[in-house]
Amino acid sequence: MLKILRIALAFIVVTIAVYSLVTGNHGLSPFMLFFLSLMMIVMGISEFKAKRQADALTCFTVSVFVLFVALYTF
């Protein structure tokens, strides 16, 4: 289930990024960053389940930073 959720979130992030690049409308960037943060949380959970705590901690740290940037740009 985590793999499907990760793929769905990655698709949302890529779709918003391509839309922003094609149209020049960067108003959706905070939403893209929010979904990217969610994707990093899901990746951290899957890494934690695979007993790779260092990678999980890195994913969670990046997620917190990206979420902070997303909230700051709103």
Side-chain angles (χ1 to χ4, degrees):
M1 181 174 144
L2 289 176
K3 187 174 182 178
I4 294 170
L5 187 59
R6 182 174 36 174
I7 291 171
L9 288 169
F11 180 74
I12 292 170
V13 169
V14 169
T15 303
I16 294 173
V18 168
Y19 174 79
S20 294
L21 284 173
V22 169
T23 63
N25 179 12
H26 300 290
L28 296 177
S29 292
F31 295 108
M32 180 188 64
L33 291 173
F34 176 73
F35 286 117
L36 182 64
S37 176
L38 290 179
M39 186 179 75
M40 293 302 293
I41 289 172
V42 170
M43 288 174 63
I45 292 170
S46 66
E47 293 293 325
F48 189 73
K49 282 187 173 183
K51 304 289 186 203
R52 293 187 290 245
Q53 281 80 16
D55 293 340
L57 182 62
T58 302
C59 287
F60 289 135
T61 305
V62 169
S63 172
V64 168
F65 177 71
V66 172
L67 186 61
F68 173 75
V69 171
L71 293 175
Y72 185 74
T73 57
F74 264 120

